[in-house]
Structure formats: structure tokens, C-alpha cells
Amino acid sequence: MTPDPIPRIHRVLGIETSCDETAAAVVDGGAVIVSSIVSSQIDLHARYGGVVPELAGRAHVELLTPVLAEALEAAGCGTSGTGIDAIAVTYGPGLIGSLLVGVAEAKALALAWDVPFVGVNHLEAHLFASLLEQPDLGWPLVVLLVSGGHTLLVEVSGPGRYRLIGGTVDDAAGEAFDKVARFLGLGYPGGPAIDAIAVDGDPQAFAFPRAFMAEGYDFSFSGLKTSVVNTVRKHPDAATEDVAASFRQAVVDVLVAKARRAARDVGAKALCLAGGVAANSLLRQRVEQACAEDGIGAFLPTRALCTDNAAMVAAAGWWRLANVGASPLTLGADPNLRLVPTA
Amino acid sequence: MNLLAIESATNLVGAALVTDGGSAAERSHQGGRMHAESLAPAIAEVCALSGLTVRDIDAIAVDIGPGLFTGLRVGVATAKALAQGLGLGVLAVSSLDILAAGAQEEAGPGGARTVVVVVDARRGEVFASQYHFDDAVAGIHQAVDPALARQAPPELVTPGGLAESLADRDRGPGESLLIVGDGAVRYRQLLAGVPAADLGLAEHLSSPSPVTLARLALRRMAAGAEPSAPSDLLPDYRREADARINWEQRIPPPGTPGHDRER
Ligand SMILES: [Zn+2]
């Protein structure tokens, strides 16, 4: 199932700075996490209700040295990079000012230690996150990748082999959570804030629209968000818990229905969650339930591997190095990098 | 000492390596915002040109700005990681000082006395500093460190405001103002109106040069300047971050009429 590794490359240092997490990790053989350090900037962006690009770029420069030092130390590699065989870094998609910091750092380390360097697609890295915890998921599988920046349905027919099935036509799921949480005055990030209050609310209190977008696999959340705003304006005394619970229910209903249909249509052996929104408790519960009913595997990675981290970047980088090869030192950052089908 | 200089504060990005043997290699790329793409290859090339490997570097200097934010981040992140990976410190140098040192080199002994460095800060502003080089201080052939000749910390000003303050400035008899930097190029017409302004070197010295940075850093280290630990090294932005979010806020924040949240 896993491809033959290049014998020389065992330990890969992964670096992730695409959004608001500064992360470094050492992964052995693309499969074993030796160390993984994530420094989140949530507190920095909380008062703005979303990630402020210039603040994120500045914070990455400040956090890069301590995060790298901690990851190397925890892996027993020391600052000289003893035992590191290659460097992998996210070069897109993401915030350009943030991506550039990690790309510059990765290339400098590759020069200092004279080891190969490889650029990794952040979305591909998320798909590899599941393999770190469960290498024997069975193929093909369908991954629902939901985060503050992305909402994707991907068919994965093997490591590094995937086909994009569906995406969002407007807001990402996490973005919808952030915007509604901001509107309801629940704070940032919106997903956990809404999750926390929704447990005390009635999910049937409001019948928010479910945008099933006819037969396709694409998502749309902007109509739902507008409906929440209009409902609260019309019913100013509505309980916030009920609004939050009904909103969360609507988002999860659509995500699960489409993911389930996609899994059935491609004959997937398992349905897999990835991305920060995969930490949502209702989503996890519903996916597990749906997969049990359909008789397929459900894979819900731990929170640490759902959210942005560098272990998934190292794992994806190890696979890329073994199957595609190293990147040139002239590689830049690509904020709009897409997932290229290779199925 | 084999010193690597990293420059990325303006449109010019590049590296210089000055070796023990006194040879100097430089590679740079100007224009098109190619900081991330060009810098690492430039470092590899200056090492190869000098017949050295990256591991032979034993000192690093970097331009910490002020200048282009993303450019500075690429240069500083590169310097930090290279230093961390090689177990070295980094000497941080101001972009304005490097340009002033460049003006000093070009003008030669007895040349420029007063240098005004103007770096484009975008959004209709510039970073500016004035330097007054006095031969009596260091002797005619010895270069004065721009840090000692600088008359005030770098300021963030409008080009109009800068032109006005330069015009109001007291001038010695026959003194001219040598104005350099990419801000001098962009606002040439405005600054040319300043009495005794000399913009003759503005194009040539529009960006700090990697090799000038390397020479200035070597002089400073010879004079006892201590490199910083990589963790202490940060860009000198000299402007607050623009706190805008990447999605337009289409929904009103809480507290808007018609929205009373239960607590
Ligand atoms: Zn992500």
C-alpha cells in the first residue's frame, strides 16, 4: 500500500505556516511522528474575528525560531539537524505573506544542512494526516476536508492519488462558522464557540435552509448565513443557543448528506474527515452514525491532526520525495495552489 | 571571516559573500517581487562562485529594513533559519544605513557630506533618514559608520513633508544634499525642488546593495559589534500592521439595532 521509500530519506522535517499556525515536525518514514510542535496565533486574531494577514506574517517570523528549535530538540536532532534527511514545507494554498516565511525558512535549512527540499500542497498534506494515524484505511476513500479556508470532497484512490469531487461555491464551512459566531457575539474561532453553546440549544428551533445544490457535490453556505442574520433580526428575542444549534445542524446535515452520497457513488471503503471543522462534535457524531448505517469505515482523526500541523506536511513531503522528487530552490509560494488530480 | 550578506528590503533581492581571502561575490535580482524565488539560489551561487560551501560561512548579516514587509520577512526568515541551522548569530543592519554607506562609497573621500536616504514605504509615504558625514571625525580616508553620522532615527513621512523639512533645514555654504533610495526615484520631481538637492545618484543607489551590506557588517564586527541570536532577530517594520481581515465583513457585528443577544 505504501510506496517503496528512497532508502536515504528517513526523517523529514515538516514546516507549516500557511495560515495562523506556526508548526514544525519531524516524521520518520512518512508514517511515525517523532515530534510535532504547533504554535497557534488564535489569541492574536481573536479580537478581529478572523485571521489578519499582516499580523499572521509578522507572528510567523517571531515564532519560527522557537518552534523549529522545539521540534528539533524533541526529536533529538539538535540545532545542527542531525539525522534530518529532507525538508518539506507548505508552499500553497494560503496567505502569501505567511507562506513565504515557511518557504524561506525551509530553503535556508536545506542549504545549511545540504539536504533536499520539497514544496507540499497544504490540501494534499491534510489528506495525508489521516494516514499518519490509520495507515490501513483501505482504498478508495472519500475525504471531507473542512476548515476555515476550504470545503472539499476528495476521492483518494491511494497515497498521492486523488480526484476532486466537490467544493464550495462561496464560503468555506469554517468561514461560515466564524461569520455566524461573530454575528452572534460568540467570539473566535467560530466553530468551537458555536459547538460549545449549541449543546444547550434546540436544533429544530429554526428551519434554516439546507443548500443541497441539486444533484452535485458542491456546497454553498452564504444563503444559510444570510438566513441566520435575517432570522435573528426578525426574532430579536430568540435564544442564542437555539440559533447556534439550528445553524450547526443545517451545516452538518449538508456536509454529511453530500459526503455520504459521494462515498456511496465512488464505492468508498471509508469516509474520512480532515481540517479544523472536523473537530466539530456534531459532525463527528453524524459521520460515525452515517458510516455505520452504510457499512463503511469512518475515520475521524484526533483534533491535533485535523487542525493545521507540520506532521502532515512532513508525511506528504516524504511521499512526494519518494515518488516525484525534490523541488528546486527557485520555488516560490502559490497562495491559490489547487489540488491537481492524479487519480 | 567568510561573511554572507542577505539583502531583500526593496525590489532588489540578493546575497554577497566576502571571504577570508578578501574576494567578494554578489548575485542579485531586481524587480518583479521575486524575493522568495531568488534569494536561496543567490546564496547557493555566491558560495559556489567563492569556491565555498554554505557550511564554510561563519558570519551572517541581514538588512532588517525598513522596506517592503514581505521582502523583509523573506530575508529575515532566511537569515534566522540559516543561522539556526549553522549555529551562528546574525548582524542586523538598517536598510537606510546600507544606502548611506553606498552613497559614501560612491562619493569617495571629500565627497558627499550630507546624505538623505529615502526608501519607498508605499501608500504615499517614505522612510527617511539624514546623515551628516564629517571628515574631521574619522580622518579623510577612513569611512565613518553611517550609524554615527545619522542625525535622527528613521522617520515615516510623506514625500511632501520630507521635501518641506529639507527645504527648511540650515545649510552650510556650498553644501548639497545627496538624495538616494527608491523613494528618491519615485518622488524625484518633488524632491528636485528642494534647494541644493542632488539626485544624480538616485537611480544608481535606488536599492541597498548586498556587497555594501557585507562591507559595512565587516567594519562593524571589526569594531566590536555583536551578532544577535537568531531568535532575537526581527524585521524593523516601522509601521503598524494593517489590521484588515481577508474576507469582507458582510454581516454587521453584534450590538447593531435589532440584535439583542441573550446572555
Ligand atoms: Zn488547513
Side-chain angles (χ1 to χ4, degrees):
Chain A
M1 176 219 83
T2 39
D4 292 338
I6 292 175
R8 202 164 72 78
I9 293 175
H10 300 292
R11 284 193 167 189
V12 176
L13 170 71
I15 293 171
E16 159 63 40
T17 65
S18 66
C19 189
D20 61 342
E21 324 275 0
T22 313
V26 177
V27 172
D28 207 336
V32 179
I33 301 174
V34 184
S35 70
S36 180
I37 305 295
V38 180
S39 178
S40 170
Q41 305 173 7
I42 282 176
D43 295 346
L44 178 68
H45 302 285
R47 53 185 285 232
Y48 303 100
V51 177
V52 181
E54 178 59 23
L55 289 179
R58 291 185 180 199
H60 284 304
V61 178
E62 286 176 34
L63 295 167
L64 155 172
T65 312
V67 166
L68 174 64
E70 216 181 313
L72 290 174
E73 200 175 308
C77 296
T79 54
S80 55
T82 313
I84 299 291
D85 300 315
I87 321 274
V89 64
T90 297
Y91 76 104
L95 302 169
I96 181 74
S98 293
L99 290 165
L100 286 174
V101 175
V103 170
E105 180 191 16
K107 290 196 216 175
L109 290 171
L111 282 172
W113 298 336
D114 194 24
V115 293
F117 139 87
V118 66
V120 166
N121 182 319
H122 181 80
L123 304 174
E124 179 173 295
H126 269 300
L127 302 181
F128 271 88
S130 14
L131 297 177
L132 278 165
E133 283 183 330
Q134 202 158 321
D136 306 310
L137 285 169
W139 316 107
L141 53 92
V142 164
V143 179
L144 173 64
L145 169 50
V146 270
S147 70
H150 309 283
T151 300
L152 298 176
L153 268 173
V154 185
E155 176 190 353
V156 185
S157 49
R161 296 214 309 275
Y162 30 68
R163 182 173 68 91
L164 198 59
I165 305 176
T168 176
V169 299
D170 40 54
D171 293 352
E175 196 180 345
F177 272 107
D178 284 346
K179 288 178 177 176
V180 168
R182 179 184 159 86
F183 175 69
L184 297 175
L186 296 176
Y188 171 85
I194 285 179
D195 218 21
I197 192 171
V199 290
D200 299 322
D202 174 8
Q204 326 287 249
F206 299 98
F208 292 131
R210 271 78 168 151
F212 286 107
M213 312 281 294
E215 298 302 308
Y217 297 104
D218 286 338
F219 300 95
S220 165
F221 294 106
S222 87
L224 169 59
K225 182 192 65 196
T226 307
S227 172
V228 171
V229 172
N230 292 340
T231 302
V232 172
R233 292 229 172 98
K234 210 185 291 169
H235 309 279
D237 48 355
T240 306
E241 304 84 79
D242 291 345
V243 177
S246 302
F247 164 73
R248 184 180 69 158
Q249 188 69 49
V251 174
V252 169
D253 279 355
V254 176
L255 289 175
V256 173
K258 297 225 167 188
R260 191 178 191 175
R261 183 147 54 82
R264 198 181 300 141
D265 292 353
V266 307
K269 300 263 186 348
L271 179 60
C272 187
L273 284 180
V277 178
N280 186 284
S281 63
L282 182 67
L283 179 61
R284 296 175 81 90
Q285 190 189 313
R286 284 304 158 92
V287 164
E288 218 157 21
Q289 201 181 325
C291 290
E293 283 170 22
D294 296 349
I296 61 170
F299 186 58
L300 317 170
T302 53
R303 198 188 142 68
L305 279 172
C306 289
T307 51
D308 288 353
N309 64 86
M312 66 185 194
V313 177
W318 180 86
W319 186 88
R320 286 240 134 228
L321 281 163
N323 293 274
V324 186
S327 301
L329 281 177
T330 50
L331 185 80
D334 183 353
N336 303 312
L337 189 65
R338 308 252 216 127
L339 204 54
V340 179
T342 49
Chain B
M1 186 187 288
N2 299 319
L3 181 136
L4 174 76
I6 294 172
E7 174 55 57
S8 62
T10 64
N11 260 329
L12 180 144
V13 53
L17 186 63
V18 178
T19 66
D20 276 333
S23 74
E26 185 185 89
R27 269 286 178 272
S28 61
H29 177 97
Q30 186 141 29
R33 297 290 182 100
M34 298 291 280
H35 295 84
E37 291 82 351
S38 308
L39 185 54
I43 294 169
E45 280 172 43
V46 294
C47 289
L49 284 168
S50 309
L52 298 174
T53 70
V54 175
R55 281 177 204 266
D56 295 320
I57 294 168
D58 36 34
I60 299 171
V62 65
D63 183 342
I64 55 158
L68 292 172
F69 294 169
T70 50
L72 291 175
R73 277 196 278 273
V74 168
V76 170
T78 301
K80 281 167 86 88
L82 208 50
Q84 196 173 3
L86 295 171
L88 300 172
V90 183
L91 195 73
V93 181
S94 148
S95 57
L96 301 169
D97 282 4
I98 304 164
L99 279 162
Q104 228 182 341
E105 285 173 0
E106 289 294 328
R113 288 292 172 278
T114 302
V115 177
V116 182
V117 179
V118 190
V119 168
D120 189 0
R122 315 286 145 147
R123 292 185 238 155
E125 292 179 307
V126 292
F127 301 110
S129 256
Q130 289 183 46
Y131 297 80
H132 190 76
F133 294 100
D134 186 351
D135 285 341
V137 176
I140 197 84
H141 293 301
Q142 198 183 335
V144 177
D145 190 316
L148 301 173
R150 192 166 57 207
Q151 300 194 295
E155 289 182 291
L156 179 61
V157 289
T158 62
L162 175 67
E164 235 168 78
S165 77
L166 291 176
D168 291 346
R169 187 181 175 282
D170 288 332
R171 268 180 299 122
E175 186 191 355
S176 67
L177 299 178
L178 181 61
I179 309 179
V180 300
D182 60 357
V185 174
R186 180 159 185 180
Y187 300 105
R188 169 184 283 277
Q189 277 195 316
L190 190 68
L191 294 167
V194 171
D198 174 358
L199 287 149
L201 284 174
E203 293 284 351
H204 183 62
L205 289 173
S206 65
S207 292
S209 124
V211 79
T212 304
L213 164 58
R215 287 198 207 107
L216 179 57
L218 282 171
R219 267 159 62 196
R220 287 188 175 174
M221 287 172 85
E226 285 288 335
S228 318
S231 53
D232 296 337
L233 183 77
L234 289 176
D236 177 7
Y237 297 106
R238 227 157 263 273
R239 184 192 254 156
E240 289 299 309
D242 181 8
R244 266 186 307 193
I245 297 178
N246 54 337
W247 35 267
E248 67 285 13
Q249 290 156 9
R250 276 172 292 183
I251 53 172
T256 330
H259 176 229
D260 277 317
R261 187 168 89 77
E262 283 183 20
R263 281 182 196 276

